[in-house]
């Protein structure tokens, strides 16, 4: 679904909002897989899609993901600055 261009990615996601909402209204539990050219960005894409679903009327709240509960990792000090 993801594309390096943000506007194209948004259009891709919006194409999926209505079908997923329709499936949810039918009592189905859709599973939506996100892929990006760099899959390290896929969780961010999934979160964006959840937000779009909620803004479009999906009857659920965005769950907190375990990684969002982790404390930020300390940054290593630089000896040469």
């Amino acid at each position: 679904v993801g594309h390096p261009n943000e506007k194209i990615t948004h259009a891709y996601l919006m194409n999926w909002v209505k079908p997923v909402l329709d499936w949810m209204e039918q009592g189905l539990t859709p599973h939506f897989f996100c892929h990006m050219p760099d899959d390290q960005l896929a969780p961010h894409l999934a979160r964006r899609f959840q937000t779009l679903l909620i803004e479009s009327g999906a009857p659920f709240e965005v769950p907190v993901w375990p990684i969002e509960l982790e404390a930020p990792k300390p940054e290593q000090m630089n000896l040469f600055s």
Side-chain angles (χ1 to χ4, degrees):
V1 171
H3 189 277
N5 182 306
E6 188 78 19
K7 289 181 181 179
I8 293 172
T9 296
H10 183 76
Y12 287 164
L13 291 177
M14 290 306 296
N15 285 334
W16 281 102
V17 169
K18 181 162 177 19
V20 170
L21 286 175
D22 289 345
W23 293 331
M24 292 171 71
E25 288 176 3
Q26 295 170 21
L28 301 173
T29 306
H31 295 267
F32 191 85
F33 295 89
C34 297
H35 297 280
M36 294 287 290
D38 178 354
D39 271 335
Q40 289 184 359
L41 301 173
H44 172 70
L45 182 64
R47 176 63 83 199
R48 284 183 46 213
F49 187 65
Q50 285 181 321
T51 302
L52 288 172
L53 286 173
I54 290 168
E55 289 171 352
S56 298
F60 63 84
E61 293 182 19
V62 176
V64 175
W65 292 354
I67 196 165
E68 294 172 337
L69 298 174
E70 291 180 9
K73 292 184 173 62
E75 192 173 313
Q76 183 173 347
M77 295 172 61
N78 186 343
L79 296 173
F80 304 105
S81 60

